[in-house]
Amino acid sequence: MKLAYWMYAGPAHIGTLRVASSFKNVHAIMHAPLGDDYFNVMRSMLERERDYTPVTASVVDRNVLARGSQEKVVNNIVRKDHEEQPDLIVLTPTCTSSILQEDLANFVERAQLDANGDVLLADVNHYRVNELQAADRTLHQIVQFYTEKARKKGELPEGKSEKPSVNIIGVSTLGFHNQHDATELKRLMADLGIEVNAVIPEGASVHELKNLSRAWFNLVPYRELGLMAANYLKDEFGMPFVDITPMGVVETARCIRAIQSILNKQGVDVDYDTFIDEQTRFISQAAWFSRSIDCQNLTGKKAVVFGDNTHASAITKILSREMGIHVVLAGTYCKYDADWFRKEVSEYCDEVLISNDHGEIGDAIARLEPSAIFGTQMERHLGKRLDIPCGVIAAPIHIQNFPVGYRPYLGYEGANQVVDLVYNSFTLGMEDHLLEIFGGHDTKEVITKGMSADSDLSWSKDGLAELNRIPGFVRGKVKRNTEKFARERGFTEISAEVLYAAKEAVGA
Amino acid sequence: MTLADAKPQSATQSSPQALNFECETGNYHTFCPISCVAWLYQKIEDSFFLVIGTKTCGYFLQNAMGVMIFAEPRYAMAELEEGDISAQLNDYEELKRLCTQIKRDRNPSVIVWIGTCTTEIIKMDLEGLAPRLESEIGVPIVVARANGLDYAFTQGEDTVLAAMAHRCPKKVESEAEKEERNAIQKLLSFGNKKETAAPESEYVDHPPLVLFGSLPDPVVTQLTLELKKQGIKVSGWLPSKRYTELPVIEEGYYVAGVNPFLSRTATTMMRRRKCKLIGAPFPIGPDGTRAWIEKMCSVFGIEPKGLEEREAAIWESVEDYVQLIRGKSVFFMGDNLLEVSMARFLIRCGMTVPEIGIPYMDKRYQGAELKFLEQTCHEMGVPLPKIVEKPDNYNQIQRIYELEPDLVITGMAHANPLEARGINTKWSVEFTFAQIHGFTNTRDILELVTRPLRRNSNLKDLGWDKLVRETANV
């Protein structure tokens, strides 16, 4: 048992539902008790989805506990098949069905006899995988299912598309800015003269899946979702894939060069260097931004980055390599893929943190006192409590992270967006401090930046007055250093003298 | 003309048939009952709620409770891992470790264990473990099985309060303790210190009355004052602001519920604590509040004073809102058990209700409310609604397309899709969190009910009613 207040990645079935409901005309049926269909609320609210979320529950209640689901699951599948005529129904196990150990595979087989559409059992175990891993598996499973089905029927297309083409794999519903990223990637491919063969799973029909092999290569923009499918396609059809996330100017260029080398190997003579140069220097504003004096002011400022593998690693590289910001800590909650993360970021930050305990991250932030945080909604709230600005770069997210306006994180426009995000976070912080220096909020209490605000030491009146004269952005640090000094010397009360003695002793 | 005057207009012509009850498949959307921790931990200030379940439960709480999760809530998950499921780990030891940590970090006066689907399925004997652990760590542990196998949404509170009812003390030991338990009275006489000089005379001599149901403190005060005006003294309230202030309950006390979803609590009060339950409509809307108070009065043999005028004055003050909904229809998809009371109130406002969906219908506990609903329909001259227990959301949506109601009260899963198809919706969960009880909060309910209509009438000339393509509707 684990005492938990907050989790970064959701339970496995959420991942399966994200993939299933991303496809067009695919319905998911959860084998779950009443109330577990909360996914529908999230999708309807966060994505502001106009259509009914194609997810229903085959409700597990007392009767099911006593007698097993019996015909119930089968009937629910067949009923949904008749009502909505989906191409595919994905039976989704939950934590409850994991322990009931009913033979769901058998239900699927039986339902398949009466259903017009296809029926699949999502192969995910609640206790072994989380949301992200489950999404990756489910996508792989569906791709594999339709590839094999087409092969059996002899419907697999021969050969490649006429012009160079790509499958973009891993764009899904409730993914962080996924919709905008997909648009930006399609635009980028068009600029490179590459046709988009398919984007999966978001908006795709399962009937398109048999044509995946017609693309010349696959692009997997996110580390968390799509790699299993890409690897499968590589094994089956020898399709190469690019798994460099085109986030930030440098990585986008790297991604494009990888595409170039794949195409060159397949006998197409393309040279994207002029395109990259033109985009980098003149179209995108990001490279020019890092050169401008605004960005100069950010040099050496401390930042903490935390998120999923894709976003945390890319942002860390952007901050450190493209903006000269000092990343004191980069972290991820994707514990299952920690080695990859460590390898990606270790040369761009002082410290790497692999954890899914928000308390641990909170304590690290309090200790490091960065000028800005780039994290999830949780870090945003930690930042609020500690008075540190935060830009949200990864899920878990809420409705604010589903902007209506165009906000990709990938490609050259994405680089512009990241610049704005980073710059706005830092300037807002500076503004706040300037206000304080010039007496904007002189009634404010002393800021403590520790997660636990209590201290065993008391401050005398004059000590406190002195402390309050110290500019806000260093006050917390001075306070803590002074208290540390006082504790070491055995002072119980801190007066102005002690404060200055501490300053001399430790340079606080 | 206010509604109060308009009542008897066509009482006789409406069809005299009784309410029609149906039961569907139970394929509907609602919140998991563990969501009750979100409002109960705020209500009971010295409590800590430990939900013993899986990531699924945690994910639900985290997302459903939105910003509250960041306010260092006094609730947490005891997240079960594979070792717990396969009994490789010892339940007792695990819970002891977690509860000791909670005691150390938060020092609560009570730890409430919320049993979930998983603890049910693996048959974790929470009721058996709790007393042992309680005596070992010295913190009371209350067990409530608020799981999605058996209950829906607000019924979670019912399971917690039913468990708490067992913990209410039997007798007041000392005067000092009595003083402490009298917190509500103190709250009411705040700023009026000398009032204690002549307290008892304000009340009629009646057997002690304890009310049950968790309400925000301002509403508790309002309802207590309403009863005080009639000379009825509220001796206690389950739950109180603090666990240590749970009301004394002795055999023969009178009890009354303030919410329609508290049938288990009512049963416990009657059977286990030997109390007398006052079955009344619930104090939702001015009509419900009046009927609720009148019932109390009649039980204690009191002639109610000034209630008719009070109700009329409230109706008059909300006439601007009532005008917006009079003659319109409302469809309840059903997810929180407040539906019957809400429908009865809205019918009194002049609306028609084709269907009341409801997760679970206790015809005994809600008996008075159902009778009141019938009476209201007759008085307002509208057909009796169909009450659908365990509704099927898919079928309901087909019926909504057919009926084209002016307003659908539904969960968030269906709200946006219905709006996109030009159907006004109100998110049902708001009624559980808003203050809707008593005379004073009538305007608040109507504020919620009329909001979509007011919003959409602001936009009506734009011609954007339907925002999905016809073909996408198949």
Side-chain angles (χ1 to χ4, degrees):
Chain A
M1 260 178 231
K2 201 173 85 183
L3 195 63
Y5 295 87
W6 170 263
M7 69 183 78
Y8 284 98
H13 70 266
I14 297 288
T16 296
L17 298 180
R18 273 178 56 190
V19 167
S21 60
S22 293
F23 280 107
K24 258 194 307 217
N25 213 24
V26 170
H27 200 100
I29 293 182
M30 303 167 65
H31 188 235
L34 200 63
D36 274 5
D37 56 352
Y38 191 70
F39 177 80
N40 298 32
V41 176
M42 290 183 64
R43 185 149 183 276
S44 180
M45 277 198 68
L46 299 179
E47 295 258 34
R48 285 178 215 92
E49 185 54 60
R50 300 172 199 217
D51 278 312
Y52 300 99
T53 302
V55 174
T56 43
S58 174
V59 177
V60 176
D61 55 18
R62 277 286 153 194
N63 292 332
V64 171
L65 280 200
R67 308 179 306 137
S69 290
Q70 299 193 1
E71 300 302 315
K72 199 170 182 181
V73 175
V74 177
N75 289 345
N76 277 319
I77 293 174
V78 174
R79 176 186 163 188
K80 209 30 90 177
D81 182 72
H82 293 323
E83 281 170 359
E84 315 243 337
Q85 287 151 8
D87 296 324
L88 168 69
I89 290 177
V90 180
L91 181 60
T92 309
T94 59
C95 56
T96 307
S97 52
S98 276
I99 36 179
L100 284 178
Q101 299 192 326
E102 288 195 76
D103 190 359
L104 294 181
N106 174 266
F107 296 159
V108 163
E109 268 169 42
R110 280 164 50 205
Q112 184 68 82
L113 299 176
D114 290 328
N116 293 318
D118 297 309
V119 189
L120 262 184
L121 171 65
D123 177 25
V124 291
N125 180 330
H126 174 90
Y127 294 95
R128 303 272 166 87
V129 294
N130 69 17
E131 169 188 352
L132 304 170
Q133 294 162 292
D136 202 17
R137 274 163 177 270
T138 304
L139 182 59
H140 166 228
Q141 199 186 349
I142 294 175
V143 167
Q144 183 175 23
F145 178 81
Y146 280 100
T147 306
E148 281 169 9
K149 187 177 171 189
R151 178 173 289 145
K152 259 182 226 155
K153 287 186 166 178
E155 284 177 351
L156 276 182
E158 292 288 322
K160 300 284 170 193
S161 61
E162 222 168 285
K163 285 188 188 159
S165 62
V166 61
N167 299 319
I168 300 173
I169 301 179
V171 179
S172 81
T173 190
L174 291 174
F176 186 69
H177 292 244
N178 271 204
Q179 305 272 13
H180 307 301
D181 284 349
T183 309
E184 185 63 19
L185 287 177
K186 283 186 213 163
R187 207 171 274 180
L188 182 64
M189 292 305 127
D191 286 347
L192 297 175
I194 297 170
E195 281 175 357
V196 175
N197 185 55
V199 178
I200 58 165
E202 182 64 43
S205 152
V206 288
H207 301 306
E208 292 173 41
L209 295 175
K210 63 172 183 287
N211 296 325
L212 287 179
S213 61
R214 283 181 54 79
W216 293 36
F217 68 101
N218 294 316
L219 175 62
V220 186
Y222 309 112
R223 174 76 190 168
E224 290 78 18
L225 176 54
L227 270 182
M228 279 181 80
N231 273 311
Y232 168 77
L233 293 168
K234 189 179 179 195
D235 295 343
E236 286 295 304
F237 305 106
M239 294 177 78
F241 64 86
V242 175
D243 61 351
I244 300 164
T245 304
M247 200 186 305
V249 174
V250 178
E251 289 297 292
T252 304
R254 210 157 72 84
C255 175
I256 296 173
R257 291 207 177 91
I259 293 172
Q260 176 182 316
S261 114
I262 280 177
L263 293 182
N264 288 345
K265 264 182 218 153
Q266 297 185 46
V268 193
D269 184 26
V270 285
D271 183 356
Y272 293 135
D273 278 342
T274 350
F275 172 79
I276 294 171
D277 185 58
E278 175 75 8
Q279 285 287 340
T280 307
R281 289 200 295 146
F282 305 111
I283 310 292
S284 153
Q285 298 296 313
W288 158 235
F289 172 81
S290 20
R291 188 72 198 187
S292 73
I293 48 169
D294 280 343
C295 193
Q296 223 177 69
N297 286 335
L298 300 182
T299 310
K301 287 245 177 301
K302 291 201 290 182
V304 164
V305 182
F306 191 81
D308 60 5
N309 269 357
T310 305
H311 292 88
S313 64
I315 296 288
T316 302
K317 289 181 206 166
I318 294 174
L319 292 175
S320 151
R321 201 161 51 179
E322 296 177 25
M323 295 184 177
I325 290 161
H326 181 186
V327 180
V328 283
L329 176 132
T332 179
Y333 54 80
C334 299
K335 282 172 88 168
Y336 64 95
D337 197 16
D339 293 341
W340 180 87
F341 185 78
R342 235 182 237 113
K343 197 179 92 230
E344 288 293 302
V345 302
S346 47
E347 56 177 308
Y348 300 109
C349 62
D350 299 350
E351 203 181 317
V352 174
L353 177 71
I354 313 284
S355 170
N356 48 21
D357 173 4
H358 77 278
E360 205 176 325
I361 293 115
D363 288 346
I365 293 172
R367 165 171 58 84
L368 294 164
E369 294 173 40
S371 313
I373 311 167
F374 298 94
T376 70
Q377 281 294 335
M378 186 38 122
E379 282 68 48
R380 191 172 71 84
H381 282 267
L382 291 167
K384 260 191 196 164
R385 203 183 298 167
L386 302 167
D387 253 340
I388 302 171
C390 176
V392 175
I393 55 145
I397 35 193
H398 66 51
I399 194 142
Q400 286 178 342
N401 304 110
F402 288 88
V404 177
Y406 187 51
R407 299 255 197 291
Y409 270 64
L410 302 185
Y412 288 108
E413 178 54 26
N416 290 342
Q417 297 290 341
V418 173
V419 162
D420 282 342
L421 177 84
V422 171
Y423 187 63
N424 289 345
S425 306
F426 278 108
T427 7
L428 288 178
M430 283 297 291
E431 215 170 71
D432 205 36
H433 296 321
L434 287 173
L435 266 174
E436 276 189 34
I437 290 171
F438 295 116
H441 310 289
D442 51 355
T443 50
K444 235 183 181 179
E445 282 288 316
V446 179
I447 301 164
T448 43
K449 288 196 172 171
M451 289 296 284
S452 58
D454 287 343
S455 150
D456 48 343
L457 292 158
S458 65
W459 285 72
S460 75
K461 218 175 184 180
D462 61 333
L464 213 51
E466 275 320 300
L467 183 68
N468 282 332
R469 257 176 230 141
I470 291 161
F473 61 103
V474 287
R475 197 183 293 151
K477 197 173 177 185
V478 169
K479 179 168 185 261
R480 210 173 0 270
N481 281 340
T482 309
E483 286 178 352
K484 193 172 151 207
F485 171 84
R487 216 169 277 130
E488 278 165 9
R489 312 281 146 113
F491 294 113
T492 50
E493 197 187 55
I494 300 171
S495 63
E497 281 137 344
V498 178
L499 183 122
Y500 285 119
K503 186 177 177 178
E504 282 156 26
V506 291
Chain B
M1 190 180 77
T2 66
L3 264 170
D5 309 326
K7 267 186 228 165
Q9 51 184 9
S10 53
T12 43
Q13 74 180 54
S14 78
S15 44
Q17 89 273 28
L19 283 166
N20 175 17
F21 293 92
E22 281 178 24
C23 186
E24 280 192 298
T25 60
N27 267 319
Y28 64 102
H29 168 79
T30 183
F31 274 13
C32 174
I34 59 170
S35 52
C36 67
V37 304
W39 64 86
L40 287 176
Y41 93 81
Q42 288 180 329
K43 175 70 193 181
I44 309 169
E45 291 169 359
D46 53 353
S47 62
F48 191 99
F49 284 78
L50 184 68
V51 182
I52 305 164
T54 60
K55 256 189 186 320
T56 307
C57 314
Y59 196 68
F60 163 70
L61 275 181
Q62 168 173 326
N63 285 298
M65 299 312 134
V67 286
M68 280 196 276
I69 201 92
F70 301 112
E72 292 228 349
R74 288 187 318 279
Y75 67 81
M77 292 293 308
E79 197 183 304
L80 300 168
E81 290 163 307
E82 205 162 10
D84 298 302
I85 304 302
S86 53
Q88 283 166 331
L89 295 166
N90 181 310
D91 298 340
Y92 182 75
E93 291 305 321
E94 291 295 299
L95 284 168
K96 184 177 163 189
R97 184 169 57 80
L98 264 41
C99 290
T100 313
Q101 189 183 336
I102 291 165
K103 186 190 175 189
R104 193 183 60 224
D105 295 348
R106 306 294 181 97
N107 196 26
S109 308
V110 62
I111 298 177
V112 183
W113 285 353
I114 303 288
T116 62
C117 305
T118 312
T119 56
E120 287 297 310
I121 297 170
I122 63 175
K123 300 197 170 30
M124 194 183 275
D125 180 21
L126 296 178
E127 278 92 349
L129 297 173
R132 269 171 70 199
L133 194 54
E134 181 172 308
S135 62
E136 195 159 344
I137 66 169
V139 180
I141 295 173
V142 171
V143 181
R145 301 196 201 174
N147 61 66
L149 295 169
D150 302 306
Y151 305 110
F153 196 13
T154 48
Q155 288 180 290
E157 176 180 322
D158 193 22
T159 61
V160 174
L161 296 189
M164 288 233 173
H166 291 282
R167 302 297 182 113
C168 291
K170 280 233 172 69
K171 262 207 173 75
V172 186
E173 267 92 38
S174 66
E175 275 308 299
E177 199 185 339
K178 189 173 191 174
E179 187 76 358
E180 194 185 316
R181 294 205 177 277
N182 220 359
I184 294 167
Q185 293 308 319
K186 246 189 278 174
L187 194 79
L188 293 177
S189 53
F190 184 73
N192 194 5
K193 282 174 196 156
K194 288 293 152 208
E195 202 202 29
T196 39
E200 299 304 326
S201 60
E202 290 177 38
Y203 295 108
V204 177
D205 188 27
H206 66 81
L209 169 71
V210 172
L211 299 180
F212 56 88
S214 163
L215 292 177
D217 295 334
V219 184
V220 168
T221 313
Q222 285 159 14
L223 287 182
T224 312
L225 282 174
E226 291 297 349
L227 291 174
K228 189 180 172 188
K229 279 187 196 148
Q230 307 298 332
I232 298 172
K233 183 176 173 178
V234 178
S235 310
W237 201 297
L238 173 74
S240 315
K241 268 170 83 75
R242 304 176 65 80
Y243 177 77
T244 48
E245 291 164 5
L246 280 181
V248 171
I249 297 178
E250 288 181 53
E251 192 173 334
Y253 274 29
Y254 279 84
V255 292
V258 296
N259 267 324
F261 44 78
L262 297 171
S263 41
R264 276 173 67 93
T265 312
T267 312
T268 310
M269 288 289 206
M270 285 191 296
R271 298 212 181 128
R272 309 300 295 271
R273 306 306 304 256
K274 312 275 185 249
C275 294
K276 291 176 185 145
L277 178 72
I278 303 175
F282 301 99
I284 292 170
D287 50 339
T289 309
R290 179 179 160 192
W292 185 70
I293 297 171
E294 278 175 348
K295 185 68 198 268
M296 308 278 177
C297 289
S298 80
V299 168
F300 295 130
I302 298 168
E303 182 68 31
K305 316 180 272 275
L307 281 179
E308 202 177 328
E309 297 77 24
R310 187 83 206 277
E311 190 194 348
I314 297 284
W315 281 120
E316 195 153 7
S317 72
V318 295
E319 174 61 19
D320 53 340
Y321 275 172
V322 173
Q323 263 174 12
L324 294 172
I325 51 174
R326 193 171 287 145
K328 297 217 158 72
S329 59
V330 54
F331 188 108
F332 287 85
M333 286 187 74
D335 68 352
N336 59 17
L337 285 95
L338 293 172
E339 291 88 359
V340 173
S341 309
M342 285 289 302
R344 178 260 304 151
F345 165 61
L346 291 178
I347 290 172
R348 178 63 75 194
C349 289
M351 296 189 90
T352 53
V353 182
E355 175 165 335
I356 303 175
I358 189 167
Y360 168 72
M361 184 76 241
D362 184 334
K363 286 185 197 161
R364 285 178 64 196
Y365 177 63
Q366 292 221 43
E369 182 65 88
L370 287 169
K371 210 175 279 168
F372 196 36
L373 170 70
E374 249 177 25
Q375 183 196 333
T376 305
C377 287
H378 292 322
E379 285 176 5
M380 297 303 293
V382 297
L384 286 163
K386 181 169 77 172
I387 296 182
V388 180
E389 205 181 345
K390 290 175 177 286
D392 185 291
N393 279 170
Y394 182 85
N395 296 344
Q396 282 186 314
I397 284 170
Q398 311 311 314
R399 295 199 287 271
I400 287 170
Y401 288 158
E402 239 165 70
L403 292 162
E404 295 180 352
D406 296 300
L407 182 67
V408 175
I409 294 181
T410 180
M412 210 42 166
H414 296 110
N416 268 340
L418 285 170
E419 288 282 349
R421 284 155 182 80
I423 294 162
N424 299 320
T425 61
K426 180 75 223 137
W427 189 29
S428 54
V429 173
E430 284 192 67
F431 295 109
T432 32
F433 292 116
Q435 303 187 356
I436 61 168
H437 292 76
F439 287 123
T440 325
N441 295 310
T442 308
R443 205 173 178 80
D444 294 59
I445 317 182
L446 287 170
E447 165 76 28
L448 288 176
V449 172
T450 58
R451 191 180 294 154
L453 302 169
R454 282 179 288 133
R455 196 270 309 267
N456 292 349
S457 78
N458 289 341
L459 311 178
K460 71 168 182 270
D461 297 330
L462 295 171
W464 297 341
D465 282 357
K466 296 214 168 125
L467 292 154
V468 283
R469 292 180 217 285
E470 291 304 322
T471 46
N473 214 337
V474 181

